[in-house]
Amino acid sequence: MRMRDFSRPTTLNSDRLFGQVAQKLAVSIIDGTFKAGDLLPNEDALKSEISVSRTAYREAVKVLTGKGLIEARPKSGTRVAPRENWNLLDPDVLSWHFRADPNETFIRDLFELRCFIEPSAAKLAAIRRSPGDLARIEAGYRGMIENPPYAEPTIRSDIAFHEAIFAAAGNTTLQCLASVVSAAIQWSLLLKSADDKNFFVESLVDHERVLDAIIRRDGELAAARMSALVIDSLNSTLALLPSAAKANAAKIA
């Protein structure tokens, strides 16, 4: 299952040849075609699948090395790095995951990180939000209720709702993690179909409750309601993963 990425543009221009090569190699690493320790295929090996030049290949290798996906060692060549070395929060690395098959562990990790950071962002947003911040949060919510379930405008509005909350929190370091939230939201929504009306309606209720707490400037309530929203979203998402039919994934509470 391939996912379309609705988040903001990433830092790497995929229209340029080296960006295409980097994406091709990165997706093959992320989906397990190339495993940790494997030698990276050279430009000649890639020519049957994608147009590539020596210069573009070298630039792509530099990019992937900087993001921790590969490592070059003397006498051992350029090899795939262990997953623990990857910069998983890098916007490009997050985006490349949407071109690979969904990975339950990675999705769970994203949601669990959301559980740590997003209630705090909601709490700060309730305390610090300006009238302009509140208008943007409300606009995101309106976009969710005015568009069909799981349609592209709905997904963009959901992401905008959460990004507006991060902006309203007024913490630039915390806002750097907004891309993690955007990625997790997309996995949740894109695994569902337009027929999953119950999930959609329940999600709208959760978002409305968060919005209400922020309007009331109740930081503790906003944090508690955001925590409930994230947990509900994770549990419904895990239930829809292909592996869910084979094994009961543990929920978080």
Side-chain angles (χ1 to χ4, degrees), residues 11-223:
T11 60
L12 193 63
N13 187 349
S14 60
D15 291 332
R16 298 186 62 182
L17 183 55
F18 85 90
Q20 295 172 20
V21 176
Q23 178 175 280
K24 170 64 179 175
L25 291 171
V27 172
S28 295
I29 292 170
I30 291 168
D31 70 14
T33 301
F34 306 138
K35 297 178 171 54
D38 286 352
L39 275 171
L40 200 68
N42 59 29
E43 63 269 24
D44 291 330
L46 292 175
K47 284 182 178 177
S48 63
E49 301 180 47
I50 184 174
S51 174
V52 58
S53 68
R54 186 176 298 274
T55 300
Y57 180 84
R58 288 176 177 173
E59 288 297 317
V61 167
K62 289 180 183 178
V63 168
L64 298 184
T65 301
K67 298 178 186 297
L69 273 69
I70 60 176
E71 51 192 10
R73 295 180 180 177
K75 299 182 180 180
S76 66
T78 303
R79 297 181 180 272
V80 177
R83 187 176 178 86
E84 56 266 25
N85 291 3
W86 302 358
N87 183 0
L88 292 171
L89 302 188
D90 179 274
D92 292 314
V93 177
L94 285 170
S95 178
W96 289 328
H97 274 81
F98 285 98
R99 298 181 178 273
D101 290 327
N103 178 290
E104 180 179 320
T105 300
F106 181 63
I107 294 173
R108 177 184 288 277
D109 287 348
L110 286 180
F111 273 97
E112 289 183 348
L113 182 55
R114 280 186 73 187
C115 285
F116 284 108
I117 63 175
E118 208 165 0
S120 296
K123 178 178 180 178
L124 290 176
I127 296 170
R128 298 174 177 175
R129 55 91 175 160
S130 67
D133 291 326
L134 183 58
R136 285 185 286 273
I137 297 170
E138 290 177 324
Y141 175 71
R142 284 198 306 273
M144 293 177 66
I145 63 176
E146 292 172 357
N147 290 291
Y150 312 118
E152 180 175 334
T154 310
I155 295 174
R156 293 190 184 280
S157 295
D158 197 344
I159 292 170
F161 175 90
H162 291 269
E163 288 182 342
I165 289 174
F166 271 89
N171 184 308
T172 54
T173 55
L174 186 62
Q175 193 168 352
C176 290
L177 296 173
S179 59
V180 176
V181 174
S182 297
I185 290 169
Q186 291 179 83
W187 282 115
S188 177
L189 293 177
L190 295 172
L191 282 169
K192 296 165 185 172
S193 72
D195 294 330
D196 296 323
K197 297 292 179 61
N198 288 338
F199 288 133
F200 184 74
V201 171
E202 290 170 2
S203 176
L204 286 181
V205 171
D206 285 341
H207 283 77
E208 183 180 22
R209 288 172 175 167
V210 172
L211 173 60
D212 174 69
I214 292 174
I215 290 173
R216 292 161 58 178
R217 292 192 182 274
D218 190 329
E220 295 297 334
L221 184 61

